[in-house]
């Protein structure tokens, strides 16, 4: 495929991401995909409640060395951002996780649809990573079927591994492309931050 065609297709996927729900999307080179073992370490210490509960989170997700090798075989990526209203990502209502599920599902949908469209356009090795555990979006009250011998994922065309679960430093990547990123934890209220982000 020519470089000109590739650039046209990348722009098409970038625009498509915005059409289906991203607030913004950027074409980046894969040297901008930062993989750092410390990011994955934060899944373990302090241990995330999703650690070990699904096939797309550590310890089952690809380790950082494999991710670095995989990313090195690509030249470009579509980096997506979905701004989420602060009251949907911070404060007591968000802490019960129910209100955040819509945004998580939408983020996974954006990533999986762009990956799928690229695949059917002939980019058969297209690969997508979302943000946040797929279990929290699709199977919050069910055991991950992909961890049961002889079974696969209930949502193989929707759920994607989280960028952070494989060590991608999505916060730094977002800051480097000019997006505002705010740390949101248990003590943060909607008034403390203008918005949250879901990245993919």
């Amino acid at each position: 495929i020519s470089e000109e065609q590739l650039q046209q297709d990348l722009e098409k996927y970038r625009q498509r991401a915005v059409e289906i729900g991203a607030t913004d999307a950027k074409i980046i080179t894969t040297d901008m995909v930062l993989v750092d073992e410390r990011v994955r370490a934060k899944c373990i210490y302090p241990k995330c409640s999703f650690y070990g509960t699904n096939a797309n989170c550590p310890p089952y997700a690809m380790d950082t060395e494999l991710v670095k090798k995989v990313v090195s075989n690509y030249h470009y990526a579509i980096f997506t951002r979905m701004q989420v209203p602060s009251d949907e990502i911070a404060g007591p209502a968000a802490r019960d996780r129910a209100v955040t599920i819509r945004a998580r599902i939408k983020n996974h949908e954006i990533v999986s649809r762009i990956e799928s469209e690229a695949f059917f356009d002939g980019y058969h090795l297209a690969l997508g990573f979302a943000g946040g555990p797929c279990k929290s979006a699709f199977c919050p009250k069910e055991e991950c079927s992909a961890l049961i011998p002889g079974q696969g994922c209930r949502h193989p065309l929707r759920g994607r591994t989280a960028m952070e679960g494989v060590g991608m430093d999505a916060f730094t990547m977002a800051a480097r492309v000019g997006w505002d990123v705010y740390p949101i934890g248990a003590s943060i209220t909607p008034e403390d931050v203008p918005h949250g982000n879901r990245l993919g």
Side-chain angles (χ1 to χ4, degrees):
I1 187 165
S2 71
E3 182 67 18
E4 180 182 5
Q5 182 63 56
L6 176 58
Q7 292 302 322
Q8 288 175 4
D9 289 342
L10 286 165
E11 178 58 21
K12 177 177 76 171
Y13 303 136
R14 188 198 70 73
Q15 289 179 17
R16 184 76 175 117
V18 173
E19 287 172 13
I20 58 179
T23 307
D24 194 6
K26 297 196 182 285
I27 300 167
I28 62 171
T29 54
T30 52
D31 61 337
M32 297 172 71
V33 178
L34 306 176
V35 181
D36 187 324
E37 295 80 5
R38 294 174 295 175
V39 176
R40 186 176 166 117
K42 290 181 74 62
C43 295
I44 302 164
Y45 183 79
K47 191 175 280 184
C48 172
S49 61
F50 291 99
Y51 182 88
T53 65
N54 66 91
N56 285 327
C57 280
Y60 305 109
M62 286 187 277
D63 65 47
T64 54
E65 287 309 307
L66 178 56
V67 172
K68 287 176 184 178
K69 289 177 185 175
V70 168
V71 169
S72 74
N73 286 296
Y74 294 86
H75 300 287
Y76 297 98
I78 305 296
F79 191 26
T80 63
R81 171 196 195 193
M82 187 175 68
Q83 281 187 351
V84 181
S86 58
D87 61 344
E88 289 186 21
I89 205 163
R95 280 195 287 278
D96 74 9
R97 297 185 193 245
V99 73
T100 67
I101 290 176
R102 288 187 312 271
R104 289 176 193 244
I105 290 172
K106 188 64 178 177
N107 185 41
H108 281 262
E109 177 186 314
I110 292 165
V111 170
S112 63
R113 285 179 63 182
I114 296 303
E115 177 187 333
S116 177
E117 289 180 23
F119 174 86
F120 286 110
D121 282 348
Y123 299 99
H124 66 287
L125 297 176
L127 195 59
F129 297 88
C134 64
K135 183 167 178 47
S136 69
F138 300 111
C139 303
K141 297 180 180 170
E142 301 167 298
E143 183 178 355
C144 177
S145 60
L147 297 181
I148 301 169
Q151 293 190 34
C153 176
R154 289 180 187 90
H155 305 280
L157 302 178
R158 297 175 73 201
R160 289 293 174 270
T161 297
M163 295 172 71
E164 63 274 15
V166 295
M168 292 181 189
D169 186 352
F171 276 21
T172 300
M173 290 169 57
R176 286 187 178 174
V177 299
W179 294 336
D180 295 330
V181 180
Y182 304 96
I184 298 174
S187 64
I188 300 298
T189 67
E191 296 76 31
D192 295 330
V193 291
H195 61 79
N197 291 299
R198 293 282 176 214
L199 304 169

